[in-house]
Amino acid sequence: MSAGLATAAPEGSKSLQVTDRRRHQRVQVNILGRFMLEDRREYPCQVIDMSPGGMAMITPVSGKVGERVVAYLDHLSRVEGRISRLIDGGFAVELRNTVRKRDKIANVLTWLANRDELNLPEDRRHDRFVPKNQMTKMILPDGTEHVCRIFDVSLSGAAIATDVLPEMGDQITLGKMRARVVRQIEGGIAVEFAAVQSRELLEHHITTPESQ
């Protein structure tokens, strides 16, 4: 089973604690993205540590304490908050997101920490291939169904071409497979399956009868 996707984390895996001196445990990460300050100019950034309640960013420009920041980050999509303090080469942000978004950030950080702990390169644990039938159906958490196309797939995940972009961390159904959205990619999303499959079962379950 993929690290960070199971309901119960494997023994020895890292987990986020929601209470400590800063209310949330910080996790060292290397997440790239872009951000905007209040002047709405856009700049690249690198998040070097993060919790559901805050993050530290290395940036080419510095804002002012209290200034609003909106960032679009790999793995996490949109987050926002206000600059809480300046650091060498950047600044720290107090995130101001919904409870649902904070829970998703916690899930993603746990997944990233477990992936790094187990030394598992993302989406490279199994060879990827293009299935014979690339068309399938995606069911979102709200129950809506959308036809989409599979770019490629492995025993542990898939890249999906779709105009409908669920949020990072959303649980979806792809064909008959349960999966979690792990990031947005150009033209669609990448997902990880809840359990590793054999290739034969994967090709059978990832497409729906309507698309066969």
Side-chain angles (χ1 to χ4, degrees):
M1 187 170 289
S2 302
L5 291 179
T7 301
E11 183 179 356
S13 68
K14 298 178 182 178
S15 61
L16 296 177
Q17 303 297 322
V18 295
T19 56
D20 70 354
R21 292 179 182 177
R22 291 186 295 186
R23 294 189 302 122
H24 299 286
Q25 179 181 342
R26 292 292 181 112
V27 176
Q28 291 187 345
V29 293
N30 180 16
I31 299 176
L32 301 179
R34 303 189 69 81
F35 75 99
M36 291 187 301
L37 296 174
E38 290 178 357
D39 63 7
R40 303 193 66 81
R41 295 178 66 183
E42 189 173 291
Y43 306 94
C45 63
Q46 177 186 4
V47 178
I48 57 174
D49 71 54
M50 191 172 193
S51 78
M55 61 184 178
M57 302 168 58
I58 300 300
T59 62
V61 300
S62 182
K64 299 177 181 179
V65 172
E67 187 171 1
R68 183 170 178 261
V69 177
V70 176
Y72 294 86
L73 305 175
D74 291 349
H75 307 293
L76 289 165
S77 188
R78 185 181 191 274
V79 297
E80 64 177 275
R82 293 191 179 274
I83 297 175
S84 57
R85 59 190 171 89
L86 304 182
I87 62 173
D88 187 21
F91 49 80
V93 178
E94 179 184 355
L95 295 175
R96 300 184 178 183
N97 295 301
T98 64
V99 172
R100 182 169 178 263
K101 184 68 174 183
R102 288 198 298 270
D103 287 343
K104 288 189 175 184
I105 292 173
N107 289 338
V108 171
L109 294 178
T110 299
W111 174 76
L112 289 172
N114 290 337
R115 184 196 69 185
D116 293 340
E117 180 79 0
L118 298 173
N119 195 28
L120 297 175
E122 181 182 345
D123 293 334
R124 294 297 180 266
R125 285 162 284 165
H126 302 95
D127 291 337
R128 304 184 75 80
F129 62 93
V130 178
K132 295 176 183 178
N133 183 3
Q134 290 184 259
M135 302 308 296
T136 188
K137 180 167 60 178
M138 175 175 64
I139 304 176
L140 300 184
D142 62 5
T144 57
E145 300 181 0
H146 306 272
V147 175
C148 56
R149 181 171 61 85
I150 303 168
F151 282 132
D152 57 42
V153 65
S154 76
L155 302 188
S156 59
I160 308 301
T162 174
D163 292 330
V164 179
L165 300 178
E167 291 191 38
M168 176 68 218
D170 273 354
Q171 297 277 0
I172 67 169
T173 301
L174 193 64
K176 298 178 182 178
M177 299 281 293
R178 291 185 299 111
R180 181 192 297 270
V181 179
V182 294
R183 69 181 186 278
Q184 292 185 1
I185 59 176
E186 184 175 358
I189 57 173
V191 303
E192 270 201 324
F193 299 133
V196 174
Q197 304 290 315
S198 71
R199 180 163 177 166
E200 292 74 19
L201 285 175
L202 180 60
E203 293 233 35
H204 177 72
H205 290 307
I206 201 170
T207 55
T208 59
E210 291 83 0
S211 63
Q212 292 177 341

